[in-house]
Amino acid sequence: MNNHLTLVCGAGGFIGAHLVRRLKAMGRRVRGVDLKLPPFAPSAADEFVQGDLRDPDLAARVVAGSRVVYQLAADMGGAGFVFTGDHDAEIMHNSSQINLNVLEACRRAGVGQIFYSSSACVYPRHNQHDPAAPTTAEDSVCPADPDSDYGWEKLFSERLYFAYARNHGLRVRVARLHNVFGPEGSWNDGREKAPAALCRKVAAAPVGGSIEIWGDGEQTRSFLAIDECLEGVQRFMASDFCGPLNIGSAEMVSIDQLARMIMEIADKPLTIEHIPGPLGVRGRTSDNRLIRARLGWAPSRPLREGLAATYGWIATQVAAAGDAL
Ligand code: NAD
């Protein structure tokens, strides 16, 4: 059993809470830190520090004694949070400060390895106009033009991690995650993403009713189930490649197709109404050539499988919320 201390920053969040559970299943001793406790289930961490990583003293305190650090804490959300422009200053300020503090604390403490969760949102708009053929090869990121300030912050922080690797010898692993979804993620707090929002809408709609979709529904994306995301993260951590590396699914669907898949899972045919709303790029999927070459592996499980588990969980939440009214 590997009993060194592993720190998960953002352990109260969706991916962080699942990651803590996985690390515990691997026999690790885990300390979690977050502003908040996980909202849907108690944390599996051995220790959980509720605190603000924008505070450099707190960052130093939680990093102390850790051999491996996963840095997932960020001010983040779906299109309704990231693409309206209303949160740009807080996103850039908060997330950069977290990364500056955590990384500097890791340098001072001599942490052995640090994972950073960057995002597909770093890729430039000009390569994602065609919903049928977007480009997200890792080396296509420059000339940079992410579609949100969230993406710009991720790009800045990626460079920060690589600069610390070059100048201070830190062993970093920078992953660009693509639309991760699953049970126990945001579903109704304004930070939910398309799969959770659509599962909620389908679960809440009356039989024979309708759901609203932002835009014309032709915009494309790929979605990665949480279990496969964590599998990719562990394989990446065990590799000798520092990244940046896409961790995403290559099963691209339009948002209308996603909605229809959820209706089929729910066995509930509904009408789709397209309404104006905040949108990202026209098309995006994960280019998995590099992950296949570097790790000899890439996500391959069908989207429908992860969606079925997520729909089941969200339908239960919707029913419970309805009972509480
Ligand atoms: P999340 O919002 O559920 O988790 C982020 C956590 O960070 C939250 O629990 C939040 O409370 C915490 N946090 C924010 N500010 C903090 C602070 N000042 N101090 C301490 N904790 C703070 O998001 P997630 O979906 O779990 O994403 C985790 C990471 O992966 C993020 O960095 C995100 O940008 C990245 N990512 C996620 C996806 C995705 O589809 N979920 C895609 C690409 C990248």
Side-chain angles (χ1 to χ4, degrees), residues 25-164:
M26 289 163 61
R28 299 281 172 84
R29 201 153 56 81
V30 181
R31 175 185 291 157
V33 57
D34 201 300
L35 287 172
K36 62 170 173 48
L37 294 166
F40 303 112
S43 175
D46 299 287
E47 282 174 65
F48 196 102
V49 178
Q50 225 173 320
D52 190 339
L53 290 165
R54 290 171 301 181
D55 171 2
D57 295 335
L58 184 277
R61 195 152 55 79
V62 292
V63 165
S66 311
R67 182 124 71 91
V68 176
V69 171
Y70 291 85
Q71 199 322 73
L72 300 151
D75 210 349
M76 112 105 177
F81 185 75
V82 161
F83 295 123
T84 59
D86 297 340
H87 306 283
D88 289 347
E90 52 184 303
I91 288 171
M92 294 193 88
H93 178 269
N94 294 342
S95 296
S96 332
Q97 209 163 34
I98 292 168
N99 284 311
L100 288 162
N101 289 343
V102 171
L103 202 45
E104 179 59 13
C106 287
R107 181 185 75 79
R108 290 182 186 207
V111 164
Q113 194 182 24
I114 174 162
F115 172 86
Y116 174 54
S117 52
S118 181
S119 164
C121 289
V122 296
Y123 289 112
R125 271 185 278 221
H126 53 257
N127 283 336
Q128 301 174 89
H129 289 321
D130 179 356
T135 303
T136 56
E138 282 83 347
D139 59 4
S140 69
V141 81
C142 284
D145 185 23
D147 65 350
S148 62
D149 280 346
Y150 168 78
W152 277 105
E153 189 282 326
K154 288 290 189 194
L155 203 49
F156 161 75
S157 289
E158 281 191 5
R159 295 193 72 100
L160 187 68
Y161 282 83
F162 288 124
Y164 267 67

Side-chain angles (χ1 to χ4, degrees), residues 237-314:
M237 289 295 270
S239 79
D240 58 6
F241 184 50
C242 61
L245 186 70
N246 289 332
I247 300 184
S249 163
E251 183 181 344
M252 189 169 75
V253 292
S254 72
I255 299 300
D256 274 1
Q257 284 171 328
L258 177 71
R260 289 206 190 87
M261 209 182 268
I262 296 169
M263 291 177 207
E264 281 166 23
I265 288 165
D267 195 16
K268 201 173 181 185
L270 300 164
T271 311
I272 296 176
E273 284 174 32
H274 294 113
I275 59 163
L279 301 167
V281 290
R282 229 16 220 154
R284 179 177 292 151
T285 185
S286 183
D287 184 324
N288 285 349
R289 285 173 295 179
L290 189 61
I291 193 170
R292 234 178 255 116
R294 291 288 185 161
L295 307 188
W297 175 90
S300 63
R301 296 230 301 268
L303 169 61
R304 185 179 289 266
E305 210 178 272
L307 267 186
T310 306
Y311 181 78
W313 182 79
I314 291 181

